[in-house]
Amino acid sequence: VVFSITLVALSLASNQYTSRVLNNFMNDRLNQAVLGVFLGIFVYCLIVIRTIREGEEGTFVPSISVFAGMVFGLAGIGFLVLFIHHISVSIQASQIIADITEETLESIDPLFQPADNDEDDELKSRVEDLPQQGWRVVNAAGTGYLQQVDSAALLQLAVERKMLIRMEKSVGDFVIRETPVACVHFEDDPDEKALGEIGSGYSVGRRRTVEQDAEFGIRQLVDIALKALSPGINDTTTAIMCIHYLTAIGVSLAGRRISQRFREKNGRLRVIIKGPTFASLTGKCFDQILENSGGNQAVLKSLLDGLGTIGEQTSSGSRRRVLLSKVGGVIEQARRTIPGADALRQIEERSRQVVAALTLGGPSVRESFAASRSR
């Protein structure tokens, strides 16, 4: 019964949301505990049954063991009730979306340090002077998704071997065996052993993970939103819920340095990291949802609210310009797909409020909305 309930829940989650959320069910500690408890009770009872015997020498029934089996069986019923309740909660859209968001936010903290911009001007000038020749290629050891990169180990190796490492693939990219994942430039003679050690700093697997890949968490939420916006499901509420949680991720990113591309030691550039930027992550959050939200007034308004909320958390002009470009996309989509003049007017009014808030020195989104309601 427990395994059947689990399979039904996995099937519903995969069909209703996306198959990428199945890992969350499989990694759920309570699901694992309940399955373990029932398997343990089952094995225990089989062992006890094996000890019960009847023959010419008499009948042997281990009374204490049988009694313990009954106690375990009653406890199993309690676990079954708890399991049914847990499954009924865990397959709800709000719970799945919240769990993905929490996991993504936990991965953001160690990846990106608090800051309000992506500027590395001091080191960018050094990158322009990098050598154009003499680079050695480091190939991938396997085929799959790049799950983790040990940047600290790469930096230490680059210092010890006096070389510059330039990543060609970022975490989350799909790599193919014997294709380049990094390039190396040696200050002295090339060290073939060092090339092999660099490859060991890359972890390749069959699927993406969230630990060093915040984009994968965003990807899962976007997939759920796109499934909700599909004509076959048409669940606007779930799509808006995804936008709300994507906004929470965007707010967390707005106050952090995203493109930590350069690693230096003792005043020398040693590692060039290939990774996301604030613009690319913001695009991952909202672009595809915007493309599939044509004619949906509620979703377009939620996108505007989300962009405005993220903009309040940063004073960076470049980041606000990124958000303004997204607002422009929402307006264009609304003018192209919203048929009603009144609905279009409401979206344009809200977009003007967001634009005013994102313009440096303008009022906040909340202040703009409050002033609009008072009028």
Side-chain angles (χ1 to χ4, degrees):
V1 170
V2 172
F3 278 100
S4 298
I5 293 174
T6 303
L7 292 175
V8 170
L10 294 177
S11 177
L12 288 174
S14 177
N15 293 330
Q16 184 71 20
Y17 308 113
T18 171
S19 61
R20 276 165 288 281
V21 305
L22 297 184
N23 290 327
N24 297 335
F25 286 93
M26 297 169 63
N27 295 330
D28 188 284
R29 292 296 185 184
L30 183 56
N31 293 345
Q32 295 174 354
V34 172
L35 294 175
V37 166
F38 273 93
L39 287 174
I41 294 174
F42 184 74
V43 172
Y44 175 83
C45 291
L46 286 179
I47 294 174
V48 171
I49 290 175
R50 179 66 180 83
T51 62
I52 298 175
R53 60 181 180 272
E54 181 179 5
E56 297 178 356
E57 299 179 357
T59 301
F60 174 74
V61 178
S63 302
I64 296 178
S65 299
V66 172
F67 177 75
M70 294 178 60
V71 173
F72 291 152
L74 293 175
I77 295 175
F79 273 96
L80 178 60
V81 174
L82 176 64
F83 181 73
I84 293 174
H85 170 73
H86 178 68
I87 285 292
S88 64
V89 172
S90 62
I91 63 175
Q92 295 179 19
S94 58
Q95 185 67 33
I96 293 175
I97 294 170
D99 288 343
I100 295 173
T101 303
E102 182 179 357
E103 186 179 14
T104 304
L105 292 175
E106 289 177 355
S107 71
I108 288 175
D109 286 336
L111 286 177
F112 309 124
Q113 300 302 314
D116 198 36
N117 58 69
D118 292 333
E119 300 301 327
D120 287 301
D121 293 333
E122 181 180 351
L123 290 176
K124 283 181 179 179
S125 61
R126 302 183 187 180
V127 174
E128 296 176 356
D129 298 329
L130 291 179
Q132 300 299 316
Q133 298 178 348
W135 291 90
R136 301 292 300 274
V137 174
V138 178
N139 293 324
T143 299
Y145 289 97
L146 186 56
Q147 295 178 334
Q148 293 184 356
V149 176
D150 192 345
S151 57
L154 292 180
L155 177 60
Q156 182 65 27
L157 181 63
V159 173
E160 294 176 354
R161 303 300 176 89
K162 295 182 180 181
M163 57 186 179
L164 173 62
I165 302 174
R166 185 184 68 204
M167 289 180 55
E168 301 296 329
K169 298 288 185 178
S170 61
V171 176
D173 287 347
F174 187 79
V175 299
I176 301 175
R177 183 182 178 87
E178 299 302 327
T179 60
V181 294
C183 291
V184 181
H185 188 275
F186 291 91
E187 294 180 2
D188 301 325
D189 295 333
D191 187 345
E192 297 296 334
K193 183 179 179 181
L195 295 177
E197 293 177 354
I198 292 173
S200 63
Y202 290 81
S203 176
V204 178
R206 295 184 176 180
R207 60 184 179 87
R208 296 176 68 177
T209 58
V210 182
E211 282 73 15
Q212 289 190 8
D213 186 10
E215 284 189 17
F216 182 56
I218 295 173
R219 178 75 263 168
Q220 294 179 72
L221 294 178
V222 171
D223 284 347
I224 295 174
L226 296 180
K227 198 75 171 286
L229 290 173
S230 64
I233 296 179
N234 195 23
D235 185 359
T236 299
T237 301
T238 298
I240 293 176
M241 194 180 303
C242 290
I243 294 173
H244 291 162
Y245 280 96
L246 286 168
T247 301
I249 294 175
V251 167
S252 177
L253 294 172
R256 297 176 182 274
R257 182 185 295 275
I258 307 299
S259 59
Q260 304 176 63
R261 302 186 179 188
F262 308 103
R263 301 287 189 275
E264 62 174 345
K265 190 74 171 181
N266 300 326
R268 295 186 64 87
L269 182 62
R270 290 300 183 184
V271 181
I272 304 175
I273 304 292
K274 183 177 182 180
T277 63
F278 179 79
S280 68
L281 290 174
T282 304
K284 296 286 186 182
C285 286
F286 299 116
D287 284 353
Q288 280 195 294
I289 297 177
L290 176 60
E291 293 173 3
N292 291 269
S293 61
N296 196 320
Q297 180 183 1
V299 172
L300 293 174
K301 285 183 177 179
S302 297
L303 288 172
L304 289 173
D305 293 345
L307 293 169
T309 302
I310 296 172
E312 289 182 348
Q313 306 303 316
T314 178
S315 60
S316 170
S318 61
R319 292 189 173 186
R320 289 198 168 195
R321 285 191 293 272
V322 169
L323 298 173
L324 283 170
S325 68
K326 305 300 179 187
V327 173
V330 175
I331 299 172
E332 182 181 352
Q333 178 76 299
R335 290 172 177 170
R336 187 172 61 250
T337 60
I338 296 294
D342 184 64
L344 180 58
R345 180 187 59 80
Q346 294 179 26
I347 293 178
E348 289 180 339
E349 174 63 22
R350 185 162 298 189
S351 67
R352 284 192 290 269
Q353 297 166 356
V354 175
V355 169
L358 292 177
T359 303
L360 294 179
S364 69
V365 175
R366 289 188 294 271
E367 292 172 348
S368 299
F369 289 169
S372 176
R373 286 193 295 269
S374 65
R375 290 196 299 267

